[in-house]
Amino acid sequence: YIVNVLLKDITETRNYLGEQTCDRMLTELAQELKDETGADVFFFADAMRMILHSEREVEEYLPKIRNCFAGERTVGYVKASLMISCYVLECPKFAKEIQEIQDMDAFLNKQVLTELQNGQVLTVDKEVLDKFHRDMDVSNLITYALQHDGLDVFYQPIYDVKEDRFNSAEALVRMKHTGELGPVFPDEFIPMAEKNGLICKLGEVVFRKVCHFGKYRRLRSRGVKYIEVNLSGIQIVDENICTQLSDIMQQFKTDPSFINLEITETAAVKYQEILEENMSSLRNMGCSFSMDDFGTGYSNISQIAKVKYDLIKLDKSLLWPCFGSEDSGKARIVLESIVTLVHQMGVKIVQEGVETKEQFEYLKRLNVDYMQGYYFCKPVNEIDYIHFLAKNRKPQR
């Protein structure tokens, strides 16, 4: 049985104690674990690992492991504590080779970090193993899709309230063929692409497809002013991103004003310095920018003031509680206050997740600039988007 003790807040502890003091504490903890269990203990940058030989040992030693990390301990003249969670992997039942263990380690640590509270234990079973295999299959699918044109771009129309027409859309990436895996949605494969170092290539493919579509379907002549394209946090910090996007736009003779780049609020906070540098270069070319999913991350109004955005996209989580919930009155106060503040900064607003006429009328009264959601249209492929534009075409004002 491999018992992996993940040190959940080790980065903060190192910053607090310093490298030498923190290493001293970890050495003491490893020795205490060895004294308590008699097992060899190996510690790494963010984990301690033990090999136990029976289910009885696991049951006996897990409480002792928790006890070693419980409460504060004094290291030199400083007090500190560590939060931990564990996974237990039985071998060879669930992993027969060293490579299998190494492949599973990153996946299991992610599960432990995201799903377990302090002191909890994840015991690997068939359900966990199935999730791991799904993870691996999706990872392989991304690689295959990038090599064999396996990505599609769908478009969700955005309604311009003032002009009463659909003059923009958001580009959303989809998998063409997923085989026996069934549906594989972006919220599953995009984080995987980021983890595997494939997100920049994926983003390049999407951007190229948008520029190709805009040119050969003459979207500007169909009344489309711009298309919103998502940039991941990893793309933002890529020193080659400006050159890459510029080269693609030149290849397809795409006017940069046809491109609006969406950046998540969380990424904007995390990578602010290099983000501003890359944004400045792209803005000088003629691109515009949106802060995406405002309301799901830090929700910090000051970020709008620090970084110049043309649009703020409000997440559906700010809109939906305004209808049919016990706290709908409070939710409306929050949403209306945000709309007022953003407008006072001279920034336009796109409300995402609009699904009913009641929501539509409410947002119109708030003077929200743009709306997007299933009330108007779900994300559709290129052909259906062209048909939608033709069906809803209105003379430009």
Side-chain angles (χ1 to χ4, degrees):
Y1 292 82
I2 294 175
V3 179
N4 199 63
V5 183
L6 195 65
L7 312 175
K8 302 182 76 165
D9 55 347
I10 188 62
T11 301
E12 293 82 355
T13 304
R14 283 190 185 281
N15 291 337
Y16 169 61
L17 293 178
E19 291 288 337
Q20 289 186 338
T21 305
C22 186
D23 285 343
R24 177 181 167 188
M25 180 176 72
L26 293 178
T27 302
E28 291 176 0
L29 280 165
Q31 187 61 50
E32 286 181 27
L33 286 174
K34 186 174 182 178
D35 293 343
E36 284 287 334
T37 63
D40 288 329
V41 180
F42 310 91
F43 72 84
F44 305 89
D46 60 353
M48 292 192 183
R49 186 166 296 180
M50 305 169 65
I51 298 177
L52 306 180
H53 301 286
S54 68
E55 187 175 357
R56 180 193 60 78
E57 284 189 359
V58 173
E59 292 176 354
E60 179 182 350
Y61 295 153
L62 277 177
K64 294 181 179 181
I65 292 170
R66 290 194 193 95
N67 187 58
C68 279
F69 288 92
E72 285 188 330
R73 60 194 303 114
T74 301
V75 188
Y77 298 99
V78 183
K79 289 187 176 181
S81 61
L82 279 171
M83 293 192 297
I84 64 159
S85 293
C86 310
Y87 74 71
V88 179
L89 174 64
E90 183 181 353
C91 303
K93 182 176 181 180
F94 294 116
K96 295 180 176 63
E97 306 288 342
I98 292 294
Q99 187 60 53
E100 286 183 85
I101 296 170
Q102 292 174 335
D103 289 342
M104 294 181 71
D105 188 57
F107 169 80
L108 293 172
N109 282 339
K110 179 184 174 184
Q111 301 298 306
V112 168
L113 278 174
T114 57
E115 297 182 10
L116 300 189
Q117 301 296 318
N118 186 33
Q120 291 185 319
V121 178
L122 172 70
T123 301
V124 176
D125 55 16
K126 184 180 181 303
E127 182 180 353
V128 174
L129 199 65
D130 287 345
K131 286 182 180 179
F132 166 69
H133 288 146
R134 166 83 180 189
D135 215 50
M136 295 293 287
D137 288 341
V138 170
S139 178
N140 293 332
L141 177 66
I142 297 167
T143 301
Y144 183 86
L146 289 171
Q147 294 172 348
H148 298 88
D149 190 27
L151 297 172
D152 256 341
V153 177
F154 278 40
Y155 296 85
Q156 186 168 32
I158 297 174
Y159 175 71
D160 185 322
V161 177
K162 184 177 180 181
E163 296 194 8
D164 186 29
R165 64 189 188 92
F166 298 91
N167 56 18
S168 62
E170 179 178 1
L172 299 160
V173 64
R174 297 289 186 266
M175 285 284 181
K176 282 185 182 178
H177 310 293
T178 59
E180 296 179 358
L181 283 177
V184 181
F185 296 110
D187 59 359
E188 182 177 14
F189 70 78
I190 288 178
M192 181 69 65
E194 291 179 333
K195 185 178 79 173
N196 293 350
L198 297 173
I199 191 64
C200 291
K201 179 62 178 175
L202 189 150
E204 179 187 351
V205 170
V206 171
F207 194 78
R208 190 177 297 278
K209 284 178 176 287
V210 169
C211 291
H212 178 276
F213 181 47
K215 176 181 179 179
Y216 289 102
R217 288 292 187 166
R218 299 182 294 110
L219 293 186
R220 273 273 168 90
S221 69
R222 299 175 189 271
V224 180
K225 291 183 177 180
Y226 61 88
I227 299 292
E228 297 178 357
V229 184
N230 291 277
L231 282 185
S232 78
I234 294 173
Q235 285 177 281
I236 289 167
V237 298
D238 184 351
E239 61 183 11
N240 299 315
I241 188 66
C242 299
T243 301
Q244 181 191 88
L245 299 187
S246 176
D247 288 348
I248 295 172
M249 288 188 286
Q250 288 179 28
Q251 178 185 346
F252 292 100
K253 296 181 172 56
T254 301
D255 187 331
S257 66
F258 183 70
I259 300 296
N260 177 277
L261 297 167
E262 290 190 14
I263 299 163
T264 64
E265 181 189 3
T266 304
V269 173
K270 190 173 182 181
Y271 306 115
Q272 184 172 332
E273 185 175 342
I274 192 164
L275 164 67
E276 291 181 10
E277 183 178 329
N278 284 338
M279 280 181 68
S280 177
S281 297
L282 289 163
R283 191 181 292 281
N284 288 337
M285 295 178 199
C287 297
S288 58
F289 287 87
S290 300
M291 176 188 278
D292 194 19
D293 295 337
F294 183 87
T296 61
Y298 294 86
S299 297
N300 191 339
I301 289 287
S302 67
Q303 289 303 315
I304 305 172
K306 289 179 182 177
V307 182
K308 183 181 178 183
Y309 293 97
D310 302 278
L311 299 168
I312 299 295
K313 302 196 74 173
L314 303 184
D315 188 73
K316 63 190 177 186
S317 61
L318 291 171
L319 174 65
W320 288 2
C322 296
F323 299 86
S325 70
E326 293 182 2
D327 295 324
S328 59
K330 293 179 181 178
R332 291 194 178 203
I333 291 172
V334 171
L335 178 57
E336 291 166 17
S337 298
I338 291 172
V339 170
T340 299
L341 279 170
V342 172
H343 276 159
Q344 286 177 342
M345 293 180 184
V347 181
K348 292 187 176 181
I349 292 172
V350 184
Q351 175 63 64
E352 299 178 301
V354 181
E355 295 198 344
T356 67
K357 185 176 182 180
E358 184 182 13
Q359 292 172 351
F360 171 71
E361 296 294 344
Y362 169 67
L363 293 167
K364 278 183 70 175
R365 292 195 298 272
L366 286 187
N367 293 318
V368 167
D369 306 280
Y370 305 98
M371 302 184 210
Q372 176 181 353
Y374 277 34
Y375 177 70
F376 308 104
C377 184
K378 66 179 182 180
V380 292
N381 61 32
E382 292 181 357
I383 294 173
D384 289 340
Y385 180 55
I386 294 297
H387 291 162
F388 178 89
L389 290 174
K391 182 179 178 181
N392 293 274
R393 184 71 184 269
K394 293 183 179 182
Q396 292 195 30
R397 298 179 180 178

